[in-house]
Amino acid sequence: MKRIQLGKSDLQAPNIALGCMGMWKLSVKEAEKVIHHALELGIDFFDHADIYGGGKSEEIFAEAIGSNSSIRENMILETKAGIRQENGKNICFDFSKKHIIESVEGSLKRLKTDYIDIFLLHRPDALMEPEEVAEAFTVLKESGKVRYFGVSNQNPMQIELLKKYVKQDLIINQLQLSVMHTGMIDAGLNVNMTNDVGINRDDSVLDYCRLNNITVQAWSPFRYGQFEGFFIDNEKFPELNAKLQEVGDKYGVDKSAIAVSWILRHPAKIQTIVGTMRLERLTSIAKASDIVLTREEWYDIYLSAGHQLP
């Protein structure tokens, strides 16, 4: 499993991480198998959020590792907070000092750990007061409860506003990216064009993160649209699946591995978060870590997904 440096930190992490959003659906024994299998594959990075399963995903994870300090010390735990929900629906975003600190305290309790390796602000909050975020981060850092910080789904100016007040480096920006969700790549290819894909909807966030040593984490690497569905083996996308199969046959892996390798091929050194809880599927996807697609293969896959070059 290839490893990359996360932002400006001293953390070296696998270029494929396990997203634990669906872990709440598993029994403790099933979760234990998933976690240990991931570790055997070299995947020691686990992504959480306080809202996943209403907090149950973090609880199941902690029970699955049995509060084993030797296991905990050999993994990187990331969690997120900032989305408030009622009955499973988002009601608001909350980056207040009080909510951030209480959310981290809740995650620490559920994960049965003394510290979080990385804490992310979960999506932007229109009512964010960056001074409060800075105060919360300082409290969490100085107390040893959080080692590093980052954001998710934020554009460059939102990050710049935070950086004006926050003392700590922001090392992560978690963004949706797949071969069927390529807005931040499309805009970069269609500069000075009048077509719709030339519209820059995120302020060149991919280039910004590269310039500022912020690691991009790609979430939903197998989805199309926002949350419409999955493109692997989907009859809506015959050309893409045929190309993924063709390239997969060359490298001896399945279509999912090639879909992930397409993300990993980008020189931004993106870390891909996969959310499967199936052991055999995780094994297949993990093979993407060492695959380096050729430039021609990368563009062939991009075009097969229905994208066009100017």
Side-chain angles (χ1 to χ4, degrees):
M1 180 67 60
K2 287 185 179 177
R3 301 184 76 82
I4 58 174
Q5 181 180 357
L6 298 182
K8 297 178 182 178
S9 75
D10 61 359
L11 293 176
Q12 295 288 326
N15 58 0
I16 296 175
L18 185 67
C20 299
M21 184 170 69
M23 190 163 283
W24 66 275
K25 300 175 184 178
L26 305 182
S27 68
V28 172
K29 286 188 176 180
E30 289 171 334
E32 183 178 3
K33 289 180 181 179
V34 172
I35 294 166
H36 283 281
H37 188 62
L39 293 172
E40 289 170 1
L41 293 170
I43 300 173
D44 56 8
F45 189 109
F46 300 90
D47 174 70
H48 292 272
D50 60 345
I51 62 170
Y52 291 167
K56 190 175 179 181
S57 285
E58 291 180 328
E59 292 176 349
I60 293 291
F61 184 92
E63 290 183 49
I65 65 173
S67 300
N68 189 318
S69 60
S70 63
I71 296 177
R72 169 65 184 96
E73 293 302 316
N74 287 294
M75 57 175 56
I76 300 171
L77 296 186
E78 173 178 273
T79 197
K80 304 179 287 292
I83 300 176
R84 284 171 48 191
Q85 295 185 330
E86 285 184 4
N87 301 318
K89 292 184 178 181
N90 296 353
I91 60 167
C92 72
F93 300 110
D94 190 345
F95 287 0
S96 65
K97 177 181 178 180
K98 179 176 183 291
H99 182 73
I100 290 172
I101 292 176
E102 286 181 352
S103 296
V104 170
E105 294 284 2
S107 287
L108 289 169
K109 183 177 180 180
R110 289 188 294 272
L111 288 167
K112 297 182 181 179
T113 185
D114 295 327
Y115 67 96
I116 301 296
D117 292 288
I118 307 172
F119 171 74
L120 307 184
L121 296 174
H122 206 173
R123 294 191 174 274
D125 174 14
L127 302 182
M128 177 188 74
E129 296 180 60
E131 300 92 337
E132 280 204 44
V133 175
E135 290 176 10
F137 281 12
T138 295
V139 169
L140 294 170
K141 177 70 174 179
E142 292 182 352
S143 64
K145 293 176 180 178
V146 175
R147 297 180 64 196
Y148 298 101
F149 300 86
V151 298
S152 71
N153 306 286
Q154 296 203 18
N155 66 37
M157 297 317 299
Q158 290 169 326
I159 297 173
E160 283 295 312
L161 179 59
L162 273 171
K163 286 168 63 176
K164 179 180 178 181
Y165 298 91
V166 173
K167 297 177 182 178
Q168 298 78 19
D169 287 331
L170 301 175
I171 68 169
I172 299 290
N173 191 5
Q174 196 173 107
L175 300 161
Q176 185 176 3
L177 176 64
S178 76
V179 71
M180 287 298 300
H181 190 96
T182 56
M184 56 186 166
I185 291 175
D186 300 338
L189 287 171
N190 290 270
V191 174
N192 199 35
M193 303 292 290
T194 58
N195 50 6
D196 286 347
V197 294
I199 298 173
N200 192 336
R201 302 178 187 278
D202 50 34
D203 274 348
S204 302
V205 67
L206 186 56
D207 296 324
Y208 171 85
C209 288
R210 294 178 72 181
L211 285 167
N212 288 273
N213 296 312
I214 297 173
T215 296
V216 171
Q217 290 179 334
W219 58 271
S220 286
F222 308 115
R223 284 188 182 273
Y224 67 94
Q226 195 67 45
F227 298 106
E228 293 177 54
F230 301 97
F231 57 80
I232 298 292
D233 293 328
N234 189 323
E235 60 183 14
K236 292 182 180 180
F237 311 105
E239 187 177 349
L240 172 59
N241 277 282
K243 179 58 65 173
L244 293 173
Q245 185 67 59
E246 176 189 328
V247 179
D249 289 344
K250 173 185 173 182
Y251 290 97
V253 298
D254 65 14
K255 292 190 284 289
S256 294
I258 295 301
V260 170
S261 70
W262 184 86
I263 296 172
L264 299 181
R265 174 61 176 82
H266 196 282
K269 296 182 180 178
I270 296 167
Q271 184 186 43
T272 303
I273 298 176
V274 301
T276 184
M277 295 288 109
R278 292 165 45 201
L279 304 189
E280 66 278 5
R281 180 162 165 73
L282 187 58
T283 299
S284 298
I285 293 171
K287 295 176 182 177
S289 177
D290 295 314
I291 294 173
V292 180
L293 299 176
T294 66
R295 184 179 299 268
E296 292 77 14
E297 288 166 345
W298 189 92
Y299 276 102
D300 281 348
I301 293 169
Y302 179 78
L303 292 170
S304 74
H307 307 300
Q308 296 181 345
L309 298 181

